[in-house]
Amino acid sequence: MTEVKKEKGWHQFVRLVQHTKPSKWFMGIALLLSVGTTLVGLMVPLFTKNLINDFTISSLSTGRILLLVSALLIQAVASGISIYLLNHIGQSVVAGIRDRLWKKLLVLPIPFYDNNQTGETVSRMTNDTAVVRGLITDHLANFLSGTISIIGSIVVLLLLDWKMALLMFIALPLAAIILMTLGRRMHQVSKGMQTETARFTSVLQQVLSEIRLVKASNAEAFEYKNGKNGITQLFQYGLKEAKIQALITPLIGLVIMVLLVVILGYGGMRVSSGALKAGDLVAFIMYLFQIVMPMGQLAAFFTQFQKATGATERIIAIMDMSEEQDEAMRDVDHVDQSIIVEHLNYSYKNGDEILKDISFSAEAGRVTAIVGPSGSGKTTLFSLLERYYQPQQGAILLGHVPINQFSLFSWRSQIGYVSQESPIVVGTIRDNICYGMDKKVDQSDIERVAKMAFADQFISELPNGYDTEVGERGIKLSGGQRQRIAIARAFLRDPKILMLDEATSSLDSKSEQVVQQALQNLMKGRTTLVIAHRLSTVIDSDQILFLDKGKITGSGTHEQLIRTHSLYREFAEQQLRMNETV
């Protein structure tokens, strides 16, 4: 992050573009054609000057006319090729940036997503990169050709009539001051606009993805107000940009118009006195327009550049973030060993201590259940086992080897995780069962694991079977169906370590029985850790750990804890009373 603070403006932009490795050949050809087009344009006023000064019918030779027409056609073709090549480069640069950003987002640690809203991150990927593309495709060529046109025109004008040319040097510094002053303000406004766009995108994504919750809670008016605030903020920033544009364009236009009037007046006097030919005045005015038009292009370039630097800062801020720590290249070799947790401590950034000196052993091939009140740290413990977070103290070992000595890919390949939510991706049932598999899976294998998960029956009743679309987050399926697909996915991975996080707590009794039976099949021969609120699902576990306020206050079998642990006994009696009430 220190690197981001040291680099400013175009340094960051150049660094970002260089990382995408744009085609130097395309860039060179595009800029060369752009320069050539500009140089041809600089010759046209000279041709016009000679045509007017030496105008006779005989001077309009076929050769001269063909030469002029050919030059204009070549200029048009070269300009078109240059525009296409620059657009090609711009699109490839943005594709490269998005590729790097997407790859980076996938390897950032979970705490990044804990602290950043998804919609804002999506805005970095889409809106900010589009701003960078616009600078390259729409403004870079104009900046280069415009600069050459201005410099070339000034040189020719000095040669034509240095006295009249000096008049322009009064206007150019004034225009530069206007651009620089308002450009700084545009940079601040554009950064605010991009930040607010990201926030608004986040609100849209959150509300639309949870639209059923919104309607069930009668929260349409509340969410409309939130969205309306974002729209109003974007409107205000848009007005600020409009005010700056409304100042830049008229002020530059005013400067140029005054300059044009002065030159026409002064030049007309010189023509009438015979000190200047009419063709020279026409050429002078044509060159003046070749300065005026690029000045507008330069103003647009600097405006877009200020927007692009703001976008670049945010993109590079993500690029420079630390990735998941995975320096180990060692694969898991003997996974049929106990998982040992030694003196584990974990706190979130706000200082709240979640786990306090946790120590236990989950024996290989056995079931270890973790129970306790909500907020006691059970899910955090699972997150540490998955290596989503790193503990501040203590270690988790497989046998005698700390798990952080294994590569993340190898370690997570050993784990089958079935949670209460049962995450489902957009696509078909087949896509969800095979999710994460790096090779094509045979249909027979898919059907086999679906049968083991007791999912084959409901799948066969669907209109398109395994090709049935499940909808966003599996909304077309029931909770029990989603759970069974998640279990089938775990079967297909054939994990040696199984982690079940409240896998049946949200199901009705009928679905729970089916899912519980599927889980029993899945748990056979695997090292299993289970989080559960319902004791009925873990009462036969080989070991039960009671976690309370981040500490393990008891461990043993159900019978042992009933006799020795008062909180567990109270916990069990509450469950019993609830079951009797039901």
Side-chain angles (χ1 to χ4, degrees):
M1 296 298 289
T2 54
E3 191 175 2
V4 175
K5 293 179 181 178
K6 290 179 181 178
E7 289 186 331
K8 294 295 181 183
W10 67 273
H11 293 285
Q12 284 186 328
F13 177 77
V14 170
R15 176 160 79 97
L16 187 64
V17 172
Q18 283 178 338
H19 279 302
T20 65
K21 298 179 181 179
S23 172
K24 294 180 180 178
W25 280 102
F26 277 16
M27 181 70 78
I29 293 172
L31 295 181
L32 185 63
L33 289 173
S34 181
V35 170
T37 301
T38 305
L39 293 176
V40 171
L42 289 173
M43 300 301 294
V44 172
L46 291 177
F47 180 87
T48 307
K49 176 181 79 75
N50 294 330
L51 184 65
I52 294 174
N53 288 340
D54 304 324
F55 182 75
T56 59
I57 297 298
S58 59
S59 66
L60 293 175
S61 64
T62 304
R64 295 182 71 177
I65 294 174
L66 288 175
L67 181 63
L68 177 61
V69 172
S70 299
L72 293 175
L73 287 174
I74 292 172
Q75 182 186 33
V77 172
S79 177
I81 295 173
S82 175
I83 290 171
Y84 171 77
L85 290 177
L86 280 170
N87 271 275
H88 187 286
I89 293 166
Q91 295 291 353
S92 66
V93 165
V94 169
I97 293 172
R98 285 174 175 166
D99 180 73
R100 290 186 63 231
L101 192 55
W102 180 234
K103 185 177 181 180
K104 182 74 176 185
L105 289 171
L106 291 174
V107 297
L108 286 175
I110 293 296
F112 170 82
Y113 296 97
D114 293 341
N115 300 322
N116 293 273
Q117 294 188 21
T118 303
E120 294 186 10
T121 306
V122 170
S123 181
R124 302 289 166 255
M125 173 70 77
T126 54
N127 298 333
D128 288 0
T129 53
V131 171
V132 174
R133 176 189 55 78
L135 179 66
I136 298 172
T137 58
D138 301 334
H139 299 280
L140 184 59
N142 290 337
F143 171 73
L144 182 63
S145 61
T147 303
I148 295 172
S149 179
I150 291 171
I151 294 173
S153 297
I154 290 173
V155 170
V156 176
L157 288 177
L158 287 171
L159 294 175
L160 281 176
D161 192 310
W162 64 271
K163 292 180 180 179
M164 288 181 62
L166 287 177
L167 289 174
M168 291 189 305
F169 289 104
I170 301 172
L172 292 180
L174 183 59
I177 291 172
I178 293 171
L179 289 176
M180 291 177 63
T181 303
L182 295 177
R184 294 192 191 98
R185 178 60 183 159
M186 178 62 79
H187 176 65
Q188 297 172 353
V189 172
S190 64
K191 283 182 67 177
M193 171 72 87
Q194 289 154 13
T195 300
E196 194 57 45
T197 300
R199 288 175 183 166
F200 184 59
T201 304
S202 180
V203 171
L204 288 179
Q205 186 169 29
Q206 177 180 321
V207 172
L208 296 180
S209 64
E210 299 293 345
I211 191 65
R212 285 168 177 79
L213 174 63
V214 173
K215 291 183 177 298
S217 305
N218 290 325
E220 291 94 338
F222 174 77
E223 293 299 352
Y224 172 76
K225 185 178 179 181
N226 284 341
K228 180 66 174 178
N229 289 337
I231 293 170
T232 302
Q233 288 297 319
L234 288 174
F235 174 69
Q236 294 298 332
Y237 277 112
L239 287 182
K240 289 178 182 178
E241 281 193 350
K243 288 176 183 177
I244 296 173
Q245 293 283 10
L247 287 173
I248 289 178
T249 304
L251 286 176
I252 296 296
L254 177 63
V255 171
I256 299 303
M257 186 58 66
V258 170
L259 179 62
L260 182 61
V261 170
V262 171
I263 287 176
L264 282 172
Y266 180 65
M269 291 172 55
R270 299 201 68 192
V271 169
S272 62
S273 66
L276 190 68
K277 293 183 179 180
D280 291 353
L281 179 59
V282 171
F284 205 98
I285 294 172
M286 291 180 71
Y287 279 120
L288 179 61
F289 278 106
Q290 293 204 27
I291 294 174
V292 171
M293 295 300 292
M295 285 292 290
Q297 294 173 345
L298 291 183
F301 171 82
F302 283 111
T303 299
Q304 185 70 16
F305 180 75
Q306 297 299 334
K307 294 181 180 180
T309 52
T312 300
E313 288 176 13
R314 287 166 170 74
I315 293 171
I316 288 183
I318 293 178
M319 294 287 196
D320 289 345
M321 285 183 174
S322 300
E323 300 177 3
E324 281 187 309
Q325 297 178 6
D326 192 19
E327 299 175 357
M329 298 301 294
R330 177 178 176 179
D331 289 340
V332 179
D333 39 20
H334 300 294
V335 73
D336 53 342
Q337 301 181 77
S338 298
I339 297 174
I340 301 170
V341 176
E342 294 182 342
H343 305 292
L344 200 65
N345 288 269
Y346 182 76
S347 301
Y348 289 114
K349 282 189 175 180
N350 60 12
D352 293 339
E353 195 172 16
I354 306 300
L355 298 176
K356 308 168 187 177
D357 197 27
I358 297 292
S359 296
F360 67 90
S361 176
E363 294 186 22
R366 301 296 185 93
V367 178
T368 297
I370 305 168
V371 299
S374 297
S376 57
K378 300 186 294 296
T379 300
T380 300
L381 178 60
F382 268 29
S383 296
L384 291 171
L385 286 165
E386 280 272 18
R387 292 170 63 184
Y388 294 153
Y389 307 105
Q390 295 296 322
Q392 280 83 24
Q393 292 179 336
I396 302 173
L397 303 92
L398 180 64
H400 300 289
V401 182
I403 61 173
N404 58 11
Q405 292 187 14
F406 302 122
S407 71
L408 279 172
F409 181 85
S410 176
W411 173 247
R412 289 174 181 166
S413 296
Q414 311 303 321
I415 299 174
Y417 187 81
V418 182
S419 67
Q420 178 180 351
E421 294 81 12
S422 300
I424 298 292
V425 299
V426 173
T428 64
I429 289 177
R430 177 184 286 103
D431 294 335
N432 276 276
I433 292 176
C434 299
Y435 186 76
M437 302 299 291
D438 57 357
K439 60 182 179 180
K440 187 176 181 180
V441 181
D442 294 334
Q443 180 65 21
S444 58
D445 290 329
I446 297 174
E447 293 175 358
R448 175 179 56 83
V449 298
K451 186 174 182 180
M452 295 170 70
F454 295 98
D456 57 324
Q457 183 176 356
F458 84 80
I459 294 174
S460 64
E461 294 173 353
L462 295 172
N464 298 316
Y466 289 90
D467 294 319
T468 300
E469 294 285 339
V470 299
E472 186 176 12
R473 295 178 293 110
I475 199 66
K476 295 180 180 180
L477 303 175
S478 69
Q481 290 171 340
R482 290 196 297 270
Q483 285 290 53
R484 281 177 274 174
I485 288 177
I487 295 169
R489 183 191 303 150
F491 268 123
L492 192 61
R493 289 169 62 92
D494 191 24
K496 301 298 184 271
I497 300 170
L498 189 61
M499 294 168 56
L500 309 176
D501 186 356
E502 307 281 5
T504 62
S505 63
S506 61
L507 305 180
D508 57 71
S509 57
K510 184 177 179 181
S511 296
E512 182 185 0
Q513 290 177 1
V514 178
V515 171
Q516 192 63 41
Q517 194 172 356
L519 290 173
Q520 291 297 332
N521 290 342
L522 183 59
M523 291 161 63
K524 289 177 182 176
R526 293 180 168 89
T527 304
T528 304
L529 294 111
V530 184
I531 292 176
H533 279 308
R534 298 182 185 178
L535 288 181
S536 59
T537 61
V538 297
I539 199 168
D540 296 324
S541 300
D542 299 290
Q543 177 184 216
I544 298 175
L545 305 175
F546 194 88
L547 195 61
D548 184 28
K549 297 179 181 178
K551 293 182 178 180
I552 294 178
T553 58
S555 64
T557 63
H558 172 69
E559 291 76 12
Q560 290 171 338
L561 287 174
I562 283 288
R563 293 194 307 267
T564 62
H565 197 283
S566 58
L567 282 177
Y568 181 83
R569 185 166 55 251
E570 182 181 345
F571 195 66
E573 289 172 352
Q574 287 177 351
Q575 293 273 315
L576 182 61
R577 285 196 296 270
M578 288 173 61
N579 291 336
E580 289 176 349
T581 302
V582 174

